[in-house]
Amino acid sequence: MTDQLQATTVPVGARSRAATGLGPMALSSLLFGALLPALSFFMINVSLPAIAKDLRADAGQLQLVVGGYGIAVATLLVVGGRLGDSFGRRRLFLIGLAGFTVTALICAIAPTIGVLLAARIVQGISGAAITPQVLASITSLLSGEHRARAMAWFGVANGIAAALGQILGGVLIEANLFGLGWRAVFLIFVPVGILAIIVASRAVPENKADQVHRVDLIGAVLLAITLVLLLLPLTEGRPLGWPLWTWLSLAAVVPATAGLALHQHRAERSGHSPLIPPTVLRLRAMRTGLLLAVGFFTTFGGFMFCFALATQGEAHMTPLEGGLSLLPLAVGFLITSVYGPQLQQRYGAGLILRGWIIQAVGYALLAVVALTLWPHVNPLTIGAPLLVAGVGSGLVMVPLIGVVVGQVPPAQAGMGSGILLTTQQTCLALGAATVGTAYLSIAGTSWGQGGALATVGLAITVISLLMTPVTHQLRSSGKAA
């Protein structure tokens, strides 16, 4: 999502229906389309052990299955939004769905881990074409209460994907439909994607931006290079014994980041539209919101990656049992997702503060269970901590974008949404790389996977508590408090 929302004006033919430019079917179609890339990200986690066994993939390659997808989405969200502005958001939405569906089929029949990795990256590119069109269409075709409600449901859709993804993945693998095993997790998106294309082509109206900004391709390339330099050594360094190139790559992150920042400043001073506008980053509410997003999505993405490996490792759970272990987290997440919009109206950013505290309690309890009962855990013994963690996570994630963007000047709300979504995807990939690497390193010691999972739980507890004073800054920086 980009600053296309900043410059968007509703076409003349749509102005008269700005408040109701998206009927229930059209809005549902857009939200369902946005659900697919997010659902795919989380469904894949539970299939990682099966993929490793079938395709003989190591832990670093498994991290890339998750991280490569996230990098592709993160670096191209802005580009996808700008292309939708220029050529039509409905058109880009359908192109993205088609690409996502085709690459899901390629993933399902991938004969090697290399083919799977390549297909996942292209699938991430397709996902980057889908999500921006949803938010841009909601912003340009709806207004007032209709727009606020649709944005809230967008958050609910992301919450549903995060909460149910691994459960659905576990069900599909355990069912072993037609002997497909983990491949069914990808194959299921083929008929679903085709259905989404048919419905969207009939229900979603075309809309464009009257004022179109040039795509910052140089910024997108620099961001991609920076992320690859950071994430590749973090994922491949441990299994390879940290060769020299991994340290050189990590050292190169500093000049790459500086080059990206310099380009963004120059682009903005010259009147162009940079990928990450420095003026928006100078807004206190935006900086605070980005810090909260980094803390949440990095730990959340990392935990999901580690949990799948731990439950199907020393705990000897099946993929279905591992997925069902997350059912309490899903329930907590769904409850807060459904009631989040009403709670947000009452508590504003204070809702996020409460979420951090509840989440910290949940992960602390999870660490206690892992330390005392491991490996004799099951979906019941691990359920109570995850229910608490799920409630807290939902209270943080669902209102985050709405609260932060609500404190950004309206003319910059589109940019704010885009930067937050880019941060979300980047940090989900970063979590699989950093938290995943730490987990795998600890799991290889005498602590085992139980000790590693407990360490991850305690780390998330500490980070959650550290986010509470940051959230206080958000509350005092704008009207949402």
Side-chain angles (χ1 to χ4, degrees):
M1 183 55 190
T2 70
D3 60 336
Q4 80 268 22
L5 302 188
Q6 171 195 2
T8 295
T9 57
V10 181
V12 174
R15 285 195 183 101
S16 60
R17 62 178 194 279
T20 58
L22 288 174
M25 180 62 71
L27 180 59
S28 298
S29 179
L30 287 170
L31 292 175
F32 183 74
L35 181 68
L36 298 184
L39 194 62
S40 174
F41 184 94
F42 291 102
M43 284 181 68
I44 303 313
N45 280 317
V46 75
S47 66
L48 293 177
I51 292 174
K53 182 178 179 179
D54 188 28
L55 300 183
R56 300 179 181 179
D58 60 36
Q61 291 170 323
L62 294 181
Q63 287 174 291
L64 287 176
V65 170
V66 178
Y69 178 87
I71 292 174
V73 175
T75 55
L76 293 174
L77 271 170
V78 175
V79 176
R82 296 268 171 84
L83 291 175
D85 286 349
S86 301
F87 300 105
R89 295 172 183 134
R90 174 179 173 273
R91 180 179 299 175
L92 260 292
F93 183 72
L94 293 174
I95 291 174
L97 285 176
F100 188 88
T101 303
V102 171
T103 50
L105 177 60
I106 297 174
C107 288
I109 62 176
T112 65
I113 187 64
V115 174
L116 178 61
L117 286 172
R120 281 289 283 171
I121 291 173
V122 179
Q123 192 173 45
I125 295 173
S126 301
I130 295 173
T131 306
Q133 319 316 326
V134 178
L135 288 175
S137 296
I138 288 174
T139 303
S140 64
L141 296 178
L142 296 175
S143 63
E145 182 181 350
H146 297 278
R147 180 190 296 174
R149 187 180 298 115
M151 291 290 285
W153 278 110
F154 178 82
V156 171
N158 278 273
I160 292 174
L164 297 182
Q166 295 197 169
I167 297 175
L168 294 176
V171 169
L172 288 171
I173 295 174
E174 190 75 10
N176 195 25
L177 299 173
F178 308 106
L180 291 171
W182 62 267
R183 298 179 186 275
V185 174
F186 292 101
L187 194 61
I188 191 66
F189 286 102
V190 176
V192 171
I194 292 174
L195 177 63
I197 293 171
I198 293 173
V199 175
S201 63
R202 297 181 178 181
V204 178
E206 184 61 280
N207 63 104
K208 301 179 182 180
D210 286 353
Q211 181 182 352
V212 178
H213 293 283
R214 189 170 63 183
V215 176
D216 182 14
L217 291 177
I218 296 177
V221 171
L222 290 174
L223 177 60
I225 291 174
T226 303
L227 292 176
V228 170
L229 288 172
L230 174 65
L231 297 180
L232 187 60
L234 289 176
T235 55
E236 294 299 303
R238 192 197 62 83
L240 294 178
W242 298 101
L244 178 61
W245 72 263
T246 59
W247 297 107
L248 294 176
S249 180
L250 288 172
V253 172
V254 175
T257 303
L260 174 62
L262 180 62
H263 170 74
Q264 298 302 283
H265 281 283
R266 287 179 174 176
E268 191 167 58
R269 284 199 302 265
S270 62
H272 298 148
S273 298
L275 191 75
I276 307 173
T279 54
V280 175
L281 294 181
R282 283 195 287 269
L283 296 170
R284 181 182 178 186
M286 180 54 61
R287 293 197 308 271
T288 304
L290 289 177
L291 183 56
L292 294 175
V294 169
F296 178 80
F297 290 111
T298 301
T299 55
F300 189 78
F303 172 75
M304 288 296 186
F305 176 84
C306 299
F307 187 83
L309 297 182
T311 53
Q312 295 181 55
E314 289 178 355
H316 301 295
M317 293 187 189
T318 65
L320 178 58
E321 290 172 333
L324 289 177
S325 296
L326 287 171
L327 182 59
L329 184 143
V331 171
F333 218 123
L334 288 175
I335 291 174
T336 51
S337 294
V338 171
Y339 292 101
Q342 296 96 308
L343 293 172
Q344 182 180 333
Q345 290 180 354
R346 179 175 180 180
Y347 295 107
L351 187 63
I352 301 177
L353 178 64
R354 291 166 173 81
W356 284 120
I357 297 173
I358 295 172
Q359 176 176 281
V361 172
Y363 281 110
L365 292 174
L366 176 65
V368 172
V369 170
L371 287 173
T372 58
L373 299 180
W374 195 268
H376 307 293
V377 295
N378 55 55
L380 293 178
T381 58
I382 213 166
L386 289 179
L387 175 62
V388 177
V391 171
S393 298
L395 293 177
V396 174
M397 177 180 170
V398 173
L400 181 58
I401 292 179
V403 169
V404 174
V405 174
Q407 298 182 73
V408 174
Q412 296 171 315
M415 282 190 223
S417 298
I419 294 173
L420 277 173
L421 288 175
T422 300
T423 302
Q424 174 192 18
Q425 294 300 323
T426 300
C427 291
L428 287 173
L430 184 64
T434 56
V435 180
T437 295
Y439 166 85
L440 292 167
S441 298
I442 298 172
T445 68
S446 60
W447 284 53
Q449 292 182 332
L453 185 63
T455 302
V456 169
L458 290 175
I460 298 177
T461 299
V462 172
I463 293 172
S464 299
L465 294 176
L466 290 175
M467 290 294 103
T468 56
V470 178
T471 308
H472 272 297
Q473 296 179 20
L474 180 64
R475 294 181 68 191
S476 62
S477 66
K479 62 185 179 181

